[in-house]
Amino acid sequence: MLSRRDMLSASIAAALAASPLRAAVSFGGKGDGFELAGPGGTIPLFVEPSDFAGVLRAARDLAADVGRVTGTDASFSPTPDQPRMVLIGTLGESPTIDRLAATGKIDVAPIKGKWESYSLQTVRNPMPGIEEALVIIGSDKRGTIYGIYDLSQNIGISPWYWWADVPVIKRDRIRISYGSYFQGEPAVRYRGIFLNNEAPCLSAWTAEKFGGMNADFYTKVFELLLRLRANYLWPAMWNNAFNEDDPKNGPLADEYGIVMGTSHHEPMNRAHKEWTSRRPGNGEWNYVSNRPAVQQFFREGARRSKDRELLVTMGVDRRAKGTPLAG
């Protein structure tokens, strides 16, 4: 019988195997294609500073991933004018990418206006000063990020390289076949994990390694999710409060592009610990007898995260057990 873990692993593996780049990347000394790395070194990357912070972060990961494979990190060019380059950007956020689309140098019709879609295209003479480019285009923030990590995964970096110490095969050359590769919208809009039953194992480990479930820990979680083309997280909640354990947690999730939610009995993006840590001043957790305090608690949670990407739990109906609706 398959366990839930087996089924999750199989579904993730199937999703990654469906990468449009799966057959396009090669490592041999012969063949035709865009050479990302070879005897001449690694190809520089360019990302507009105006693009999303999460895209810039993922591009830095790609540069490091090239180094994990070849021994030399890819460099960044401040301007798009090197003979051979990797150009990375999001439609509507990158003037360079938008110009290439407007002049017909890249085809964005299959992804424009789509959810979390991306394309990688090799282009000859895309703009003055560039003879050849590999262009990574996203329909939105996560689309671009997924395109970046798709390339990383196909050059040999497992999404689990850090968490499971997956070894990286060293290569002297990385080549992408000439062409255009598209990945459309995911069949499931929100895809993620729940850090449930985290005490004592995960909580003890994070305390030892990171000093708690803070931004340093969640940085690793968010990167893994995006490398797996996930986008959603219910954070640890046994004696943990995601937004208060480390005030950097919430903004960091939004920067990465992770949609946050809350589980069980934690409505309006507020952890249960946020209520219990304020006792006895906030009174009983009961919407019938303590409505003003509960409403204020919810309003604070809504204001705190109003500018972030969230799925908000409104409440849990436990009337079948004889308890109040907001219990």
Side-chain angles (χ1 to χ4, degrees):
M1 179 181 293
L2 286 175
S3 67
R4 285 184 297 174
R5 179 180 297 177
D6 292 333
M7 290 187 286
L8 176 62
S9 299
S11 63
I12 289 173
L16 294 177
S19 163
L21 287 178
R22 186 179 183 189
V25 177
S26 60
F27 307 99
K30 297 181 180 179
D32 196 24
F34 181 89
E35 195 161 88
L36 184 64
T42 59
I43 301 303
L45 314 179
F46 173 78
V47 189
E48 295 275 6
S50 60
D51 214 318
F52 294 104
V55 169
L56 300 176
R57 183 188 289 270
R60 291 194 293 271
D61 287 345
L62 174 60
D65 289 344
V66 171
R68 292 182 176 101
V69 175
T70 67
T72 303
D73 289 6
S75 62
F76 283 88
S77 174
T79 51
D81 55 7
Q82 302 300 307
R84 300 179 64 251
M85 299 195 74
V86 177
L87 306 176
I88 301 170
T90 310
L91 289 173
E93 301 294 332
S94 168
T96 297
I97 295 299
D98 289 345
R99 282 196 298 272
L100 293 177
T103 56
K105 293 292 186 178
I106 57 175
D107 178 13
V108 299
I111 66 169
K112 188 174 183 179
K114 301 293 181 64
W115 172 265
E116 297 181 348
S117 302
Y118 61 90
S119 175
L120 289 87
Q121 303 177 27
T122 58
V123 183
R124 303 274 192 181
N125 302 309
M127 53 198 305
I130 304 179
E131 299 172 6
E132 184 180 54
L134 173 66
V135 189
I136 303 175
I137 316 117
S139 63
D140 53 21
K141 175 167 66 175
R142 281 189 294 272
T144 310
I145 292 170
Y146 293 154
I148 292 168
Y149 284 138
D150 191 6
L151 180 58
S152 284
Q153 196 258 342
N154 278 283
I155 67 173
I157 305 299
S158 167
W160 298 92
Y161 77 96
W162 187 85
W163 286 93
D165 296 320
V166 179
V168 178
I169 298 175
K170 298 298 183 181
R171 308 285 191 178
D172 295 325
R173 189 186 302 266
I174 304 171
R175 184 183 292 107
I176 296 92
S177 298
Y178 291 124
S180 297
Y181 308 92
F182 297 95
Q183 179 65 55
E185 293 181 322
V188 178
R189 196 169 182 85
Y190 295 103
R191 312 161 306 280
I193 61 174
F194 175 24
L195 300 181
N196 194 16
N197 295 334
E198 67 272 15
C201 295
L202 182 62
S203 57
W205 178 77
T206 55
E208 177 187 348
K209 299 296 183 183
F210 300 100
M213 292 192 184
N214 53 27
D216 291 336
F217 163 66
Y218 278 110
T219 290
K220 298 297 187 182
V221 176
F222 297 155
E223 180 188 335
L224 173 66
L225 288 172
L226 293 172
R227 285 182 182 267
L228 291 171
R229 285 189 234 153
N231 61 7
Y232 186 55
L233 178 68
W234 283 356
M237 49 79 69
W238 280 27
N239 200 36
N240 289 286
F242 176 77
N243 285 290
E244 293 191 350
D245 289 344
D246 186 343
K248 294 184 289 186
N249 283 344
L252 186 72
D254 199 59
E255 176 183 315
Y256 265 87
I258 298 299
V259 183
M260 295 302 301
T262 49
S263 61
H264 291 102
H265 57 286
E266 300 191 318
M268 300 304 294
N269 198 43
R270 298 219 71 171
H272 186 65
K273 182 186 175 183
E274 294 180 46
W275 180 270
T276 58
S277 66
R278 289 163 171 78
R279 284 175 175 167
N282 54 4
E284 183 184 11
W285 177 248
N286 190 313
Y287 193 74
V288 175
S289 63
N290 194 24
R291 181 175 301 188
V294 174
Q295 286 181 338
Q296 179 61 24
F297 183 72
F298 288 165
R299 289 191 186 101
E300 290 170 358
R303 282 195 296 267
R304 177 179 61 195
S305 302
K306 64 183 177 64
D307 296 324
R308 302 176 195 159
E309 199 172 4
L310 306 169
L311 285 181
V312 179
T313 301
M314 301 300 292
V316 180
D317 188 348
R318 297 175 61 191
R319 287 174 295 181
K321 297 183 179 180
T323 54
L325 176 60

